[in-house]
mmCIF file of all heavy atoms in Angstrom:
data_model
loop_
_atom_site.group_PDB
_atom_site.id
_atom_site.type_symbol
_atom_site.label_atom_id
_atom_site.label_comp_id
_atom_site.label_asym_id
_atom_site.label_seq_id
_atom_site.Cartn_x
_atom_site.Cartn_y
_atom_site.Cartn_z
ATOM 1 N N PRO A 57 -18.742 -92.421 100.961
ATOM 2 C CA PRO A 57 -19.489 -91.372 101.643
ATOM 3 C C PRO A 57 -20.860 -91.835 101.921
ATOM 4 O O PRO A 57 -21.268 -92.876 101.451
ATOM 5 C CB PRO A 57 -19.478 -90.217 100.587
ATOM 6 C CG PRO A 57 -19.467 -90.950 99.313
ATOM 7 C CD PRO A 57 -18.592 -92.140 99.459
ATOM 8 N N TYR A 59 -24.687 -91.521 101.255
ATOM 9 C CA TYR A 59 -25.562 -91.039 100.253
ATOM 10 C C TYR A 59 -27.017 -90.824 100.785
ATOM 11 O O TYR A 59 -27.585 -91.787 101.351
ATOM 12 C CB TYR A 59 -25.570 -91.985 99.097
ATOM 13 C CG TYR A 59 -24.414 -91.883 98.180
ATOM 14 C CD1 TYR A 59 -23.332 -92.779 98.431
ATOM 15 C CD2 TYR A 59 -24.270 -90.919 97.148
ATOM 16 C CE1 TYR A 59 -22.182 -92.654 97.671
ATOM 17 C CE2 TYR A 59 -23.213 -90.811 96.337
ATOM 18 C CZ TYR A 59 -22.096 -91.720 96.650
ATOM 19 O OH TYR A 59 -20.937 -91.644 95.893
ATOM 20 N N THR A 60 -27.571 -89.611 100.573
ATOM 21 C CA THR A 60 -29.003 -89.428 100.883
ATOM 22 C C THR A 60 -29.823 -89.315 99.637
ATOM 23 O O THR A 60 -31.068 -89.432 99.662
ATOM 24 C CB THR A 60 -29.131 -88.123 101.726
ATOM 25 O OG1 THR A 60 -28.526 -87.015 101.041
ATOM 26 C CG2 THR A 60 -28.428 -88.386 103.086
ATOM 27 N N GLN A 61 -29.200 -89.080 98.485
ATOM 28 C CA GLN A 61 -29.893 -89.029 97.259
ATOM 29 C C GLN A 61 -28.836 -89.238 96.150
ATOM 30 O O GLN A 61 -27.615 -89.213 96.414
ATOM 31 C CB GLN A 61 -30.555 -87.714 97.021
ATOM 32 C CG GLN A 61 -29.674 -86.471 97.113
ATOM 33 C CD GLN A 61 -30.379 -85.151 97.025
ATOM 34 O OE1 GLN A 61 -31.650 -85.131 96.637
ATOM 35 N NE2 GLN A 61 -29.797 -84.078 97.382
ATOM 36 N N GLY A 62 -29.300 -89.435 94.893
ATOM 37 C CA GLY A 62 -28.294 -89.681 93.761
ATOM 38 C C GLY A 62 -28.845 -90.675 92.768
ATOM 39 O O GLY A 62 -29.729 -91.492 93.138
ATOM 40 N N GLY A 63 -28.387 -90.554 91.569
ATOM 41 C CA GLY A 63 -28.867 -91.483 90.553
ATOM 42 C C GLY A 63 -30.358 -91.342 90.247
ATOM 43 O O GLY A 63 -30.994 -92.373 90.102
ATOM 44 N N SER A 64 -30.808 -90.182 90.213
ATOM 45 C CA SER A 64 -32.311 -89.887 89.975
ATOM 46 C C SER A 64 -33.175 -90.341 91.012
ATOM 47 O O SER A 64 -34.371 -90.484 90.930
ATOM 48 C CB SER A 64 -32.696 -90.506 88.602
ATOM 49 O OG SER A 64 -31.969 -90.008 87.559
ATOM 50 N N MET A 65 -32.605 -90.603 92.327
ATOM 51 C CA MET A 65 -33.363 -90.991 93.456
ATOM 52 C C MET A 65 -33.376 -89.864 94.462
ATOM 53 O O MET A 65 -32.284 -89.402 94.810
ATOM 54 C CB MET A 65 -32.849 -92.286 94.055
ATOM 55 C CG MET A 65 -32.843 -93.541 93.140
ATOM 56 S SD MET A 65 -32.262 -95.022 94.124
ATOM 57 C CE MET A 65 -31.895 -96.052 92.717
ATOM 58 N N VAL A 70 -34.220 -93.025 98.491
ATOM 59 C CA VAL A 70 -32.935 -93.608 98.984
ATOM 60 C C VAL A 70 -33.036 -94.225 100.365
ATOM 61 O O VAL A 70 -32.575 -95.205 100.735
ATOM 62 C CB VAL A 70 -31.802 -92.580 98.869
ATOM 63 C CG1 VAL A 70 -30.485 -93.145 99.534
ATOM 64 C CG2 VAL A 70 -31.464 -92.275 97.357
ATOM 65 N N ASP A 189 -23.845 -97.817 101.408
ATOM 66 C CA ASP A 189 -23.198 -96.648 100.747
ATOM 67 C C ASP A 189 -22.243 -97.037 99.752
ATOM 68 O O ASP A 189 -22.118 -96.462 98.645
ATOM 69 C CB ASP A 189 -22.732 -95.629 101.768
ATOM 70 C CG ASP A 189 -23.777 -95.016 102.639
ATOM 71 O OD1 ASP A 189 -24.664 -94.276 102.133
ATOM 72 O OD2 ASP A 189 -23.928 -95.353 103.811
ATOM 73 N N ALA A 190 -21.416 -98.101 100.127
ATOM 74 C CA ALA A 190 -20.377 -98.552 99.191
ATOM 75 C C ALA A 190 -21.033 -99.129 97.943
ATOM 76 O O ALA A 190 -20.577 -98.857 96.843
ATOM 77 C CB ALA A 190 -19.519 -99.639 99.930
ATOM 78 N N LEU A 191 -22.105 -99.972 98.144
ATOM 79 C CA LEU A 191 -22.761 -100.542 97.006
ATOM 80 C C LEU A 191 -23.505 -99.459 96.273
ATOM 81 O O LEU A 191 -23.609 -99.547 94.997
ATOM 82 C CB LEU A 191 -23.672 -101.658 97.448
ATOM 83 C CG LEU A 191 -22.977 -102.889 98.005
ATOM 84 C CD1 LEU A 191 -23.938 -103.863 98.628
ATOM 85 C CD2 LEU A 191 -22.259 -103.665 96.801
ATOM 86 N N PHE A 192 -24.106 -98.517 96.826
ATOM 87 C CA PHE A 192 -24.866 -97.418 96.171
ATOM 88 C C PHE A 192 -23.884 -96.692 95.284
ATOM 89 O O PHE A 192 -24.203 -96.374 94.129
ATOM 90 C CB PHE A 192 -25.453 -96.509 97.211
ATOM 91 C CG PHE A 192 -26.423 -95.537 96.577
ATOM 92 C CD1 PHE A 192 -27.741 -95.830 96.440
ATOM 93 C CD2 PHE A 192 -25.955 -94.295 96.136
ATOM 94 C CE1 PHE A 192 -28.723 -94.917 95.922
ATOM 95 C CE2 PHE A 192 -26.946 -93.332 95.560
ATOM 96 C CZ PHE A 192 -28.239 -93.687 95.441
ATOM 97 N N GLU A 193 -22.719 -96.363 95.801
ATOM 98 C CA GLU A 193 -21.741 -95.637 95.048
ATOM 99 C C GLU A 193 -21.313 -96.349 93.714
ATOM 100 O O GLU A 193 -21.231 -95.719 92.681
ATOM 101 C CB GLU A 193 -20.474 -95.254 95.931
ATOM 102 C CG GLU A 193 -19.399 -94.498 95.171
ATOM 103 C CD GLU A 193 -18.358 -94.068 96.049
ATOM 104 O OE1 GLU A 193 -17.711 -95.002 96.746
ATOM 105 O OE2 GLU A 193 -17.978 -92.858 96.100
ATOM 106 N N MET A 194 -21.044 -97.656 93.939
ATOM 107 C CA MET A 194 -20.599 -98.447 92.754
ATOM 108 C C MET A 194 -21.767 -98.809 91.768
ATOM 109 O O MET A 194 -21.593 -98.414 90.595
ATOM 110 C CB MET A 194 -19.945 -99.706 93.205
ATOM 111 C CG MET A 194 -18.650 -99.514 93.979
ATOM 112 S SD MET A 194 -17.877 -100.984 94.551
ATOM 113 C CE MET A 194 -18.929 -101.673 95.806
ATOM 114 N N HIS A 195 -22.857 -99.310 92.338
ATOM 115 C CA HIS A 195 -23.882 -99.860 91.392
ATOM 116 C C HIS A 195 -24.717 -98.735 90.837
ATOM 117 O O HIS A 195 -24.981 -98.730 89.610
ATOM 118 C CB HIS A 195 -24.787 -100.803 92.204
ATOM 119 C CG HIS A 195 -26.012 -101.299 91.458
ATOM 120 N ND1 HIS A 195 -25.922 -102.115 90.436
ATOM 121 C CD2 HIS A 195 -27.323 -100.902 91.579
ATOM 122 C CE1 HIS A 195 -27.136 -102.347 89.856
ATOM 123 N NE2 HIS A 195 -27.951 -101.656 90.508
ATOM 124 N N VAL A 196 -25.031 -97.690 91.562
ATOM 125 C CA VAL A 196 -25.933 -96.655 91.122
ATOM 126 C C VAL A 196 -25.186 -95.516 90.516
ATOM 127 O O VAL A 196 -25.342 -95.064 89.272
ATOM 128 C CB VAL A 196 -26.768 -96.077 92.279
ATOM 129 C CG1 VAL A 196 -27.675 -94.919 91.828
ATOM 130 C CG2 VAL A 196 -27.615 -97.232 92.865
ATOM 131 N N MET A 197 -24.167 -94.914 91.263
ATOM 132 C CA MET A 197 -23.489 -93.685 90.767
ATOM 133 C C MET A 197 -22.411 -93.999 89.784
ATOM 134 O O MET A 197 -22.245 -93.175 88.822
ATOM 135 C CB MET A 197 -22.858 -93.028 92.019
ATOM 136 C CG MET A 197 -23.774 -92.733 93.135
ATOM 137 S SD MET A 197 -25.192 -91.697 92.607
ATOM 138 C CE MET A 197 -24.259 -90.166 92.272
ATOM 139 N N GLU A 198 -21.723 -95.128 89.746
ATOM 140 C CA GLU A 198 -20.686 -95.358 88.870
ATOM 141 C C GLU A 198 -21.041 -96.304 87.728
ATOM 142 O O GLU A 198 -20.628 -96.055 86.576
ATOM 143 C CB GLU A 198 -19.455 -95.850 89.594
ATOM 144 C CG GLU A 198 -18.876 -94.915 90.661
ATOM 145 C CD GLU A 198 -17.581 -95.478 91.320
ATOM 146 O OE1 GLU A 198 -16.904 -96.285 90.685
ATOM 147 O OE2 GLU A 198 -17.371 -95.076 92.443
ATOM 148 N N LEU A 199 -21.729 -97.284 88.006
ATOM 149 C CA LEU A 199 -22.030 -98.321 87.018
ATOM 150 C C LEU A 199 -23.456 -98.132 86.350
ATOM 151 O O LEU A 199 -23.770 -98.893 85.373
ATOM 152 C CB LEU A 199 -21.917 -99.751 87.603
ATOM 153 C CG LEU A 199 -20.528 -100.097 88.142
ATOM 154 C CD1 LEU A 199 -20.647 -101.427 88.853
ATOM 155 C CD2 LEU A 199 -19.619 -100.196 86.925
ATOM 156 N N GLY A 200 -24.204 -97.305 86.826
ATOM 157 C CA GLY A 200 -25.494 -97.013 86.218
ATOM 158 C C GLY A 200 -26.442 -98.207 86.198
ATOM 159 O O GLY A 200 -27.041 -98.520 85.168
ATOM 160 N N HIS A 201 -26.484 -98.922 87.386
ATOM 161 C CA HIS A 201 -27.355 -100.080 87.554
ATOM 162 C C HIS A 201 -26.931 -101.260 86.705
ATOM 163 O O HIS A 201 -27.880 -102.035 86.298
ATOM 164 C CB HIS A 201 -28.779 -99.697 87.321
ATOM 165 C CG HIS A 201 -29.298 -98.650 88.210
ATOM 166 N ND1 HIS A 201 -29.680 -98.983 89.525
ATOM 167 C CD2 HIS A 201 -29.451 -97.318 88.058
ATOM 168 C CE1 HIS A 201 -30.059 -97.775 90.155
ATOM 169 N NE2 HIS A 201 -29.885 -96.831 89.275
ATOM 170 N N ARG A 202 -25.723 -101.448 86.329
ATOM 171 C CA ARG A 202 -25.283 -102.569 85.625
ATOM 172 C C ARG A 202 -25.479 -103.808 86.506
ATOM 173 O O ARG A 202 -25.701 -103.658 87.723
ATOM 174 C CB ARG A 202 -23.854 -102.483 85.133
ATOM 175 C CG ARG A 202 -23.679 -101.585 83.938
ATOM 176 C CD ARG A 202 -22.276 -101.349 83.674
ATOM 177 N NE ARG A 202 -21.643 -102.620 83.174
ATOM 178 C CZ ARG A 202 -20.439 -102.780 82.980
ATOM 179 N NH1 ARG A 202 -19.501 -101.770 83.148
ATOM 180 N NH2 ARG A 202 -19.854 -103.960 82.501
ATOM 181 N N LEU A 210 -16.086 -104.775 90.656
ATOM 182 C CA LEU A 210 -15.609 -103.487 91.154
ATOM 183 C C LEU A 210 -15.499 -103.566 92.725
ATOM 184 O O LEU A 210 -14.545 -103.068 93.323
ATOM 185 C CB LEU A 210 -16.561 -102.422 90.837
ATOM 186 C CG LEU A 210 -16.167 -100.986 91.113
ATOM 187 C CD1 LEU A 210 -14.754 -100.588 90.607
ATOM 188 C CD2 LEU A 210 -17.253 -99.986 90.595
ATOM 189 N N ARG A 214 -12.086 -103.006 95.651
ATOM 190 C CA ARG A 214 -12.070 -101.952 96.729
ATOM 191 C C ARG A 214 -12.341 -102.408 98.066
ATOM 192 O O ARG A 214 -11.767 -101.792 99.053
ATOM 193 C CB ARG A 214 -13.167 -100.941 96.354
ATOM 194 C CG ARG A 214 -12.977 -100.267 95.044
ATOM 195 C CD ARG A 214 -14.147 -99.168 94.898
ATOM 196 N NE ARG A 214 -13.973 -98.500 93.537
ATOM 197 C CZ ARG A 214 -14.831 -97.551 93.166
ATOM 198 N NH1 ARG A 214 -15.805 -97.167 93.848
ATOM 199 N NH2 ARG A 214 -14.517 -96.997 91.964
ATOM 200 N N PHE A 226 -28.608 -106.268 97.612
ATOM 201 C CA PHE A 226 -28.667 -104.854 97.195
ATOM 202 C C PHE A 226 -29.488 -104.758 95.903
ATOM 203 O O PHE A 226 -30.297 -103.905 95.741
ATOM 204 C CB PHE A 226 -27.212 -104.306 97.113
ATOM 205 C CG PHE A 226 -27.250 -102.811 96.831
ATOM 206 C CD1 PHE A 226 -27.246 -101.857 97.871
ATOM 207 C CD2 PHE A 226 -27.200 -102.383 95.489
ATOM 208 C CE1 PHE A 226 -27.277 -100.548 97.608
ATOM 209 C CE2 PHE A 226 -27.153 -101.038 95.213
ATOM 210 C CZ PHE A 226 -27.165 -100.121 96.284
#
Side-chain angles (χ1 to χ4, degrees):
Y59 284 92
T60 56
Q61 57 185 346
S64 301
M65 299 185 196
V70 171
D189 295 293
L191 289 169
F192 190 92
E193 182 172 52
M194 293 182 292
H195 175 70
V196 177
M197 304 301 294
E198 297 182 29
L199 295 174
H201 299 280
R202 288 177 61 189
L210 187 55
R214 297 184 180 180
F226 186 87

